[in-house]
Amino acid sequence: MGTTFAIALVFIGCCSNVVFLELLVRDFPGCGNIVTFAQFLFIAVEGFIFESKFGRKKTAIPISNYVIMVTMFFFVSVVNNYALNFNIAMPLHMIFRSGSLIANMILGIIILKKRYSTSKYLSIALVSIGIFICTIMSAKQVQNTANEGSDDGVYAFVHWLIGIAMLTFALLMSARMGIFQETLYKKYGKHSKEALFYNHCLPLPGFLLLSTDIYRYCVYFSQSTPMTVPVVGLTMPIMWFYLFMNVITQYVCIRGVFILTTECASLTVTLVVTLRKFLSLIFSIIYFQNPFTLWHWVGTAVVFLGTLLYTEVLNSLHTALLGPPTKEKKKE
């Protein structure tokens, strides 16, 4: 029952979160900072009440380690959201972030001196090819705009390249954070809920550096078209409603993943998250009519095929359907 509930939370929360994020970004492409701040503030307040018991609970992992992890987490979140300001379409943003397997493997080899099987390297090659295809096709679309608009088009293309560089930096930083977190969990034990709280609480002072931008979008949101909230009957600016729903669905998504990690093996968690990303991508393309060519579909399919191969889901399905291979049949 717990597993089914957690999977439902992941799919409902994460897919809904993508919808409300895109609704926000379509009207205000530069609103990433206020979205990130709202998400961090909500999860930090919830964690302060229920996890840290109003600051009375002692941490299992030293605060100094959280400060390092939080610094990386803060930069990853801000850079990922801010990249949307640089001509990065939402589908490309989602596909590019699916390349975390590549970054994790590269840094795992460099930092942890890990070695992987042939199937793992093949899966990484597939993911790389898929992301390369989607990136090139998106670059072609941006370049078409560049050819139409001379100086403005060249500026748009350079703008897009900066966005790609930001996504690459965030991808590598996220992988480094994952390795650091893995090291901490091996040393101090798994404390995912505590880490979730401190990852969102400690970075809050950093948002003071972004206060001007956040305040500007607060004003923009307050000036947006008013709407009547269903059931409640309360009237509020529509952008504030979208932001509120984005924060709630983000919390539901994160809580679902947390419950899933306590109920299931990591393979199941990875499969659920991968399928969630794929469904979010499909829904984003169909519902919002995002431009997506046949080559984009090919690239997307290759990315997720590589991800499934990496997590050995295909082997697990084969074992589940046909049973484990036997070395010898016993003589009767």
Side-chain angles (χ1 to χ4, degrees):
M1 183 63 180
T3 302
T4 304
F5 178 67
I7 292 174
L9 287 182
V10 171
F11 277 95
I12 294 172
C14 298
C15 292
S16 301
N17 179 259
V18 170
V19 172
F20 288 109
L21 177 60
E22 185 143 2
L23 287 170
L24 287 164
V25 168
R26 278 182 168 250
D27 285 343
F28 295 98
C31 69
N33 289 332
I34 189 174
V35 172
T36 306
F37 172 69
Q39 292 172 353
F40 275 49
L41 181 62
F42 181 85
I43 295 174
V45 170
E46 187 275 341
F48 181 72
I49 297 171
F50 297 104
E51 170 59 22
S52 75
K53 310 299 181 185
F54 296 95
R56 294 194 301 268
K57 183 179 177 182
K58 187 178 179 180
T59 61
I61 298 175
I63 290 290
S64 58
N65 289 313
Y66 279 124
V67 170
I68 297 172
M69 189 161 60
V70 157
T71 302
M72 292 188 283
F73 186 74
F74 177 77
F75 277 109
V76 167
S77 299
V78 171
V79 171
N80 265 324
N81 282 321
Y82 206 68
L84 294 170
N85 294 351
F86 292 83
N87 293 345
I88 301 295
M90 185 61 73
L92 177 60
H93 189 270
M94 294 164 65
I95 293 169
F96 207 96
R97 291 177 70 176
S98 296
S100 56
L101 290 176
I102 308 170
N104 277 317
M105 176 171 277
I106 292 173
L107 293 188
I109 293 172
I110 295 173
I111 298 173
L112 300 179
K113 309 300 181 184
K114 288 185 176 181
R115 293 296 177 264
Y116 300 93
S117 64
T118 304
S119 64
K120 290 289 192 291
Y121 289 115
L122 176 60
S123 68
I124 291 306
L126 288 173
V127 173
S128 303
I129 292 169
I131 292 178
F132 178 77
I133 291 172
C134 291
T135 304
I136 290 299
M137 293 310 298
S138 294
K140 190 175 179 181
Q141 290 174 355
V142 175
Q143 197 156 21
N144 288 338
T145 305
N147 293 334
E148 293 171 6
S150 64
D151 291 341
D152 290 339
V154 172
Y155 173 77
F157 184 67
V158 172
H159 217 52
W160 178 84
L161 287 177
I162 294 173
I164 292 295
M166 292 174 71
L167 288 179
T168 304
F169 169 79
L171 200 64
L172 293 172
M173 181 65 75
S174 178
R176 183 65 186 89
M177 183 183 71
I179 291 174
F180 182 70
Q181 192 168 358
E182 181 182 338
T183 305
L184 287 182
Y185 284 169
K186 283 182 180 179
K187 185 175 182 180
Y188 298 102
K190 290 188 175 182
H191 302 280
S192 301
K193 200 171 180 182
E194 180 184 282
L196 177 66
F197 165 60
Y198 283 103
N199 277 346
H200 290 80
C201 176
L202 294 180
L204 287 179
F207 284 100
L208 290 173
L209 300 173
L210 308 171
S211 57
T212 303
D213 182 72
I214 292 172
Y215 176 75
R216 182 167 71 251
Y217 281 95
C218 284
V219 174
Y220 291 158
F221 282 14
S222 299
Q223 294 172 348
S224 61
T225 307
M227 66 163 287
T228 302
V229 181
V231 182
V232 182
L234 179 69
T235 301
M236 65 186 301
I238 192 169
M239 298 308 293
W240 281 115
F241 174 73
Y242 289 159
L243 180 62
F244 173 77
M245 293 304 298
N246 175 269
V247 169
I248 297 299
T249 53
Q250 172 75 359
Y251 175 73
V252 171
C253 174
I254 291 178
R255 287 292 295 144
V257 172
F258 169 73
I259 296 172
L260 204 60
T261 56
T262 60
E263 296 282 342
C264 306
S266 60
L267 179 62
T268 305
V269 177
T270 306
L271 175 60
V272 171
V273 173
T274 300
L275 292 176
R276 191 278 302 171
K277 287 179 181 178
F278 185 72
L279 288 178
S280 297
L281 176 65
I282 300 299
F283 188 83
S284 173
I285 293 164
I286 295 175
Y287 184 81
F288 292 104
Q289 299 180 346
N290 283 308
F292 221 67
T293 66
L294 176 61
W295 282 107
H296 281 95
W297 283 113
V298 171
T300 302
V302 173
V303 166
F304 285 99
L305 176 61
T307 303
L308 292 177
L309 182 61
Y310 181 90
T311 56
E312 298 180 354
V313 170
L314 300 179
N315 290 339
S316 297
L317 290 176
H318 182 272
T319 302
L321 293 173
L322 303 179
T326 55
K327 294 181 180 178
E328 284 187 278
K329 289 186 179 178
K330 292 182 179 179
K331 292 182 181 180
E332 295 183 8

mmCIF file of all heavy atoms in Angstrom, residues 43-59 197-198 201:
data_model
loop_
_atom_site.group_PDB
_atom_site.id
_atom_site.type_symbol
_atom_site.label_atom_id
_atom_site.label_comp_id
_atom_site.label_asym_id
_atom_site.label_seq_id
_atom_site.Cartn_x
_atom_site.Cartn_y
_atom_site.Cartn_z
ATOM 1 N N ILE A 43 9.320 24.156 1.901
ATOM 2 C CA ILE A 43 9.889 22.901 2.402
ATOM 3 C C ILE A 43 10.702 23.146 3.676
ATOM 4 O O ILE A 43 10.701 22.319 4.600
ATOM 5 C CB ILE A 43 10.756 22.236 1.316
ATOM 6 C CG1 ILE A 43 9.868 21.819 0.132
ATOM 7 C CG2 ILE A 43 11.498 21.023 1.865
ATOM 8 C CD1 ILE A 43 10.619 21.279 -1.058
ATOM 9 N N ALA A 44 11.360 24.310 3.763
ATOM 10 C CA ALA A 44 12.138 24.637 4.963
ATOM 11 C C ALA A 44 11.225 24.832 6.168
ATOM 12 O O ALA A 44 11.524 24.343 7.272
ATOM 13 C CB ALA A 44 12.968 25.892 4.720
ATOM 14 N N VAL A 45 10.113 25.531 5.980
ATOM 15 C CA VAL A 45 9.174 25.760 7.087
ATOM 16 C C VAL A 45 8.567 24.437 7.535
ATOM 17 O O VAL A 45 8.475 24.150 8.741
ATOM 18 C CB VAL A 45 8.063 26.749 6.654
ATOM 19 C CG1 VAL A 45 6.963 26.804 7.709
ATOM 20 C CG2 VAL A 45 8.652 28.139 6.439
ATOM 21 N N GLU A 46 8.174 23.607 6.575
ATOM 22 C CA GLU A 46 7.596 22.298 6.914
ATOM 23 C C GLU A 46 8.608 21.438 7.668
ATOM 24 O O GLU A 46 8.281 20.788 8.670
ATOM 25 C CB GLU A 46 7.144 21.605 5.624
ATOM 26 C CG GLU A 46 6.362 20.309 5.835
ATOM 27 C CD GLU A 46 7.239 19.076 6.001
ATOM 28 O OE1 GLU A 46 8.434 19.135 5.611
ATOM 29 O OE2 GLU A 46 6.750 18.059 6.545
ATOM 30 N N GLY A 47 9.868 21.442 7.198
ATOM 31 C CA GLY A 47 10.910 20.650 7.850
ATOM 32 C C GLY A 47 11.268 21.177 9.228
ATOM 33 O O GLY A 47 11.561 20.402 10.139
ATOM 34 N N PHE A 48 11.233 22.507 9.397
ATOM 35 C CA PHE A 48 11.538 23.114 10.693
ATOM 36 C C PHE A 48 10.526 22.682 11.749
ATOM 37 O O PHE A 48 10.876 22.436 12.907
ATOM 38 C CB PHE A 48 11.540 24.637 10.575
ATOM 39 C CG PHE A 48 11.856 25.355 11.843
ATOM 40 C CD1 PHE A 48 13.141 25.347 12.363
ATOM 41 C CD2 PHE A 48 10.856 26.042 12.539
ATOM 42 C CE1 PHE A 48 13.432 26.011 13.547
ATOM 43 C CE2 PHE A 48 11.140 26.700 13.724
ATOM 44 C CZ PHE A 48 12.433 26.685 14.234
ATOM 45 N N ILE A 49 9.278 22.537 11.327
ATOM 46 C CA ILE A 49 8.214 22.156 12.260
ATOM 47 C C ILE A 49 8.234 20.659 12.549
ATOM 48 O O ILE A 49 8.227 20.228 13.704
ATOM 49 C CB ILE A 49 6.832 22.571 11.713
ATOM 50 C CG1 ILE A 49 6.757 24.099 11.578
ATOM 51 C CG2 ILE A 49 5.711 22.053 12.616
ATOM 52 C CD1 ILE A 49 5.516 24.591 10.850
ATOM 53 N N PHE A 50 8.279 19.841 11.462
ATOM 54 C CA PHE A 50 8.065 18.402 11.630
ATOM 55 C C PHE A 50 9.353 17.574 11.701
ATOM 56 O O PHE A 50 9.341 16.477 12.252
ATOM 57 C CB PHE A 50 7.192 17.874 10.485
ATOM 58 C CG PHE A 50 5.815 18.474 10.459
ATOM 59 C CD1 PHE A 50 5.485 19.454 9.529
ATOM 60 C CD2 PHE A 50 4.851 18.069 11.366
ATOM 61 C CE1 PHE A 50 4.213 20.016 9.508
ATOM 62 C CE2 PHE A 50 3.578 18.621 11.352
ATOM 63 C CZ PHE A 50 3.258 19.610 10.429
ATOM 64 N N GLU A 51 10.467 18.075 11.136
ATOM 65 C CA GLU A 51 11.708 17.300 11.152
ATOM 66 C C GLU A 51 12.641 17.755 12.270
ATOM 67 O O GLU A 51 13.114 16.936 13.061
ATOM 68 C CB GLU A 51 12.419 17.413 9.801
ATOM 69 C CG GLU A 51 13.824 16.842 9.764
ATOM 70 C CD GLU A 51 13.885 15.358 10.114
ATOM 71 O OE1 GLU A 51 12.855 14.660 9.981
ATOM 72 O OE2 GLU A 51 14.951 14.909 10.551
ATOM 73 N N SER A 52 12.896 19.069 12.357
ATOM 74 C CA SER A 52 13.840 19.550 13.378
ATOM 75 C C SER A 52 13.148 19.863 14.702
ATOM 76 O O SER A 52 13.825 20.216 15.670
ATOM 77 C CB SER A 52 14.566 20.803 12.873
ATOM 78 O OG SER A 52 13.721 21.929 12.913
ATOM 79 N N LYS A 53 11.812 19.724 14.720
ATOM 80 C CA LYS A 53 11.052 19.975 15.958
ATOM 81 C C LYS A 53 11.352 21.365 16.504
ATOM 82 O O LYS A 53 11.729 21.539 17.658
ATOM 83 C CB LYS A 53 11.353 18.917 17.022
ATOM 84 C CG LYS A 53 11.246 17.478 16.542
ATOM 85 C CD LYS A 53 9.860 17.120 16.064
ATOM 86 C CE LYS A 53 9.797 15.662 15.616
ATOM 87 N NZ LYS A 53 8.484 15.317 15.031
ATOM 88 N N PHE A 54 11.229 22.370 15.615
ATOM 89 C CA PHE A 54 11.488 23.767 15.963
ATOM 90 C C PHE A 54 12.924 23.984 16.440
ATOM 91 O O PHE A 54 13.194 24.783 17.329
ATOM 92 C CB PHE A 54 10.497 24.255 17.022
ATOM 93 C CG PHE A 54 9.075 24.262 16.541
ATOM 94 C CD1 PHE A 54 8.238 23.175 16.795
ATOM 95 C CD2 PHE A 54 8.562 25.343 15.829
ATOM 96 C CE1 PHE A 54 6.919 23.172 16.343
ATOM 97 C CE2 PHE A 54 7.251 25.351 15.381
ATOM 98 C CZ PHE A 54 6.426 24.267 15.633
ATOM 99 N N GLY A 55 13.864 23.237 15.845
ATOM 100 C CA GLY A 55 15.283 23.402 16.141
ATOM 101 C C GLY A 55 15.770 22.620 17.336
ATOM 102 O O GLY A 55 16.943 22.729 17.716
ATOM 103 N N ARG A 56 14.908 21.830 17.959
ATOM 104 C CA ARG A 56 15.301 21.098 19.175
ATOM 105 C C ARG A 56 15.997 19.769 18.872
ATOM 106 O O ARG A 56 16.713 19.236 19.708
ATOM 107 C CB ARG A 56 14.061 20.829 20.044
ATOM 108 C CG ARG A 56 13.409 22.088 20.613
ATOM 109 C CD ARG A 56 12.432 21.736 21.713
ATOM 110 N NE ARG A 56 11.381 20.837 21.241
ATOM 111 C CZ ARG A 56 10.213 21.242 20.765
ATOM 112 N NH1 ARG A 56 9.942 22.545 20.687
ATOM 113 N NH2 ARG A 56 9.309 20.374 20.374
ATOM 114 N N LYS A 57 15.785 19.215 17.665
ATOM 115 C CA LYS A 57 16.346 17.910 17.326
ATOM 116 C C LYS A 57 17.795 18.045 16.871
ATOM 117 O O LYS A 57 18.118 18.890 16.033
ATOM 118 C CB LYS A 57 15.506 17.260 16.217
ATOM 119 C CG LYS A 57 15.951 15.860 15.838
ATOM 120 C CD LYS A 57 15.063 15.284 14.746
ATOM 121 C CE LYS A 57 15.550 13.917 14.299
ATOM 122 N NZ LYS A 57 14.704 13.386 13.196
ATOM 123 N N LYS A 58 18.675 17.206 17.413
ATOM 124 C CA LYS A 58 20.081 17.237 17.052
ATOM 125 C C LYS A 58 20.288 16.560 15.697
ATOM 126 O O LYS A 58 19.648 15.553 15.389
ATOM 127 C CB LYS A 58 20.911 16.514 18.124
ATOM 128 C CG LYS A 58 22.408 16.636 17.925
ATOM 129 C CD LYS A 58 23.156 15.937 19.056
ATOM 130 C CE LYS A 58 24.659 16.043 18.844
ATOM 131 N NZ LYS A 58 25.427 15.375 19.924
ATOM 132 N N THR A 59 21.191 17.116 14.903
ATOM 133 C CA THR A 59 21.429 16.569 13.571
ATOM 134 C C THR A 59 22.277 15.300 13.641
ATOM 135 O O THR A 59 23.167 15.188 14.478
ATOM 136 C CB THR A 59 22.157 17.584 12.668
ATOM 137 O OG1 THR A 59 23.418 17.903 13.238
ATOM 138 C CG2 THR A 59 21.338 18.847 12.495
ATOM 139 N N PHE A 197 15.483 18.742 4.574
ATOM 140 C CA PHE A 197 15.218 19.972 5.326
ATOM 141 C C PHE A 197 16.393 20.948 5.240
ATOM 142 O O PHE A 197 16.223 22.122 4.889
ATOM 143 C CB PHE A 197 14.920 19.637 6.796
ATOM 144 C CG PHE A 197 14.994 20.824 7.711
ATOM 145 C CD1 PHE A 197 14.157 21.923 7.527
ATOM 146 C CD2 PHE A 197 15.913 20.862 8.755
ATOM 147 C CE1 PHE A 197 14.232 23.029 8.374
ATOM 148 C CE2 PHE A 197 15.988 21.953 9.603
ATOM 149 C CZ PHE A 197 15.148 23.041 9.405
ATOM 150 N N TYR A 198 17.609 20.467 5.538
ATOM 151 C CA TYR A 198 18.765 21.375 5.549
ATOM 152 C C TYR A 198 19.143 21.854 4.151
ATOM 153 O O TYR A 198 19.661 22.963 3.988
ATOM 154 C CB TYR A 198 19.953 20.708 6.242
ATOM 155 C CG TYR A 198 19.802 20.716 7.738
ATOM 156 C CD1 TYR A 198 19.411 19.573 8.429
ATOM 157 C CD2 TYR A 198 20.009 21.883 8.463
ATOM 158 C CE1 TYR A 198 19.244 19.577 9.811
ATOM 159 C CE2 TYR A 198 19.853 21.907 9.851
ATOM 160 C CZ TYR A 198 19.464 20.756 10.509
ATOM 161 O OH TYR A 198 19.296 20.779 11.883
ATOM 162 N N CYS A 201 16.667 24.703 3.891
ATOM 163 C CA CYS A 201 16.679 25.732 4.933
ATOM 164 C C CYS A 201 17.935 26.601 4.877
ATOM 165 O O CYS A 201 17.853 27.833 4.867
ATOM 166 C CB CYS A 201 16.557 25.066 6.306
ATOM 167 S SG CYS A 201 16.679 26.216 7.696
#
